[in-house]
Each structure stands twice: as structure tokens, then as C-alpha cells.
Amino acid sequence: MNNVVITIARQYGSGGRTVGEMLANRMGIHFYDKELAKLASEESGINEALFVNTDEKVKGLFRLGKGAYTGDLISPKSDDFTSEENLFNYQAKVIRDLAASKSCVIMGRCADYILKDCENVLSVFVHAPKDFCMEQAAKKQSMSEKELERFIAKTDKHRADYYKYHTGREWTDARNYDLCLDSSKLGFERCVEEIIAYMNVRFK
């Protein structure tokens, strides 16, 4: 196997992003998070701001009959070219292209679902209890305890809705992932070690 891709979904405050960055540094591979919006913009010709504005969230009510992502791109001639679905489609194309060409760590964006049929992909979900997430989030967000609690809940709801909208699955369902890690019990460094250990068994 020439390359391995690790996708990481994470609850806000669980330190999943930190784990992803540490893992990428340890392995000497690229880490993709917000950079995906820029790459999708370059691929599609659509303004990067549109990708940023819909980053891991959906607007308005869920539309009836929306099916899970299939990989189809919408033509530039269509009125739906810049729709939420097509923005997701182009970002998904970038994720698929990256997975096919290099070893990397990809954060969120339903990457586990997009790459679910790829043999070289390991999907991880990093989670932690509320108190731990509050403690970690407080290091980055200057808010009152109540404000921070609402912010975390809102962010996780956006991620869960986004995941459900584009995949038809529940974001926190352990069956969607190869490995689920509680960062409060393991610590970030041990999370990295567990992912690498799993990779060594899985990919030999």
C-alpha cells in the first residue's frame, strides 16, 4: 500500500484537531483542515468564501428527499452550481483526490464517509466528557461558562447536522468509524500512539 489516510471526526473541545496535527507531525505527512476550502475553490472556480461559509454546517431546514452524497458534480450551467450540495461535492472530490495520491490526515468534512470504500483509509472519532471539553475549549475561547457551554453545544450540533445531511448517518455512531478514542482518558499523545498502533495492525 503506497499511502495511508487517517480521517478524524471530533467533538469540539476534545482535542481531535490537536491529535490530528500531532499525528501528522509524527508521521511526517500533510494535515488538511481549513485548507480544504481553498483547494475546493481552486478545483471548482467557486469563490472560497462560499466554502468557508458552509464549512461543516448546513443552512435552513433539511430538504425533503435529500439523499446521501454520491460523488456527482453539478454542471456550471446549472442554477445549483453553487448550492450547498455542490460545494460539498467539490470538497469531497478534493478529499478523494488527496486520498488517492498521498498519505495525509484529514479533519472532519465527512471524510470518513466519502472515503468509506477506500482500503487505505483509517477513520477515527475523538470524543470526551463535557467537563473535559469545557476545560480545553476555555483555553481558546474567551467566554463565560454559560456562553462556552452553548458555543460547544452549537458547534457539535452543526457538525452532527452537516454529517447527517450529507451522509444520512449519525455523527456520533461508533459504527461509522474504525476507532473511537476518549481523549480525556488517554491524553493527546496516547491517542496518537493508539492510532499508529491500530495502523500497524490494520495495514501491516
Side-chain angles (χ1 to χ4, degrees):
M1 188 171 294
N2 294 327
N3 63 303
V4 175
V5 177
I6 304 94
T7 70
I8 299 182
R10 72 288 184 214
Q11 289 182 309
Y12 191 89
S14 68
R17 191 180 197 280
T18 299
V19 170
E21 289 180 315
M22 291 172 63
L23 176 64
N25 287 335
R26 176 82 70 86
M27 295 179 64
I29 60 179
H30 202 98
F31 173 81
Y32 290 98
D33 187 6
K34 296 186 183 302
E35 184 182 352
L36 291 169
K38 178 182 179 181
L39 295 176
S41 174
E42 293 172 351
E43 174 73 28
S44 63
I46 298 172
N47 193 306
E48 183 179 347
L50 293 178
F51 289 96
V52 172
N53 289 338
T54 58
D55 191 28
E56 291 196 292
K57 53 183 176 288
V58 290
K59 297 179 180 179
L61 298 174
F62 287 11
R63 272 157 275 188
L64 295 176
K66 171 69 175 71
Y69 163 76
T70 62
D72 297 327
L73 295 173
I74 298 173
S75 168
K77 297 179 181 179
S78 171
D79 291 339
D80 292 329
F81 182 62
T82 58
S83 65
E84 289 179 26
E85 286 84 353
N86 209 36
L87 294 175
F88 180 87
N89 293 344
Y90 269 104
Q91 189 162 256
K93 182 180 185 303
V94 166
I95 288 172
R96 292 200 316 274
D97 289 346
L98 289 172
S101 63
K102 64 174 68 177
S103 293
C104 58
V105 176
I106 301 176
M107 295 301 301
R109 281 90 182 168
C110 305
D112 61 283
Y113 183 84
I114 294 165
L115 303 175
K116 61 184 173 59
D117 296 323
C118 300
E119 295 183 357
N120 65 326
V121 174
L122 168 62
S123 59
V124 180
F125 186 80
V126 180
H127 61 96
K130 178 181 175 181
D131 289 349
F132 181 86
C133 290
M134 288 280 289
E135 179 183 346
Q136 294 299 312
K139 296 177 181 179
K140 295 185 177 181
Q141 304 291 342
S142 180
M143 301 178 182
S144 68
E145 185 174 341
K146 288 290 186 182
E147 289 173 333
L148 189 59
E149 185 176 5
R150 287 195 294 268
F151 177 79
I152 292 173
K154 183 178 180 180
T155 301
D156 281 348
K157 185 177 187 307
H158 281 319
R159 290 175 179 174
D161 289 348
Y162 179 87
Y163 191 88
K164 177 75 171 181
Y165 184 71
H166 290 293
T167 72
R169 297 181 176 187
E170 297 299 327
W171 180 55
T172 55
D173 189 339
R175 292 172 295 184
N176 297 332
Y177 309 97
D178 296 310
L179 192 61
C180 294
L181 301 172
D182 184 337
S183 56
S184 71
K185 294 178 180 177
L186 295 174
F188 302 152
E189 185 65 38
R190 185 62 185 274
C191 282
V192 171
E193 293 173 0
E194 291 298 324
I195 294 171
I196 292 175
Y198 189 102
M199 288 173 56
N200 288 335
V201 173
R202 168 84 174 273
F203 301 121
K204 300 183 182 357

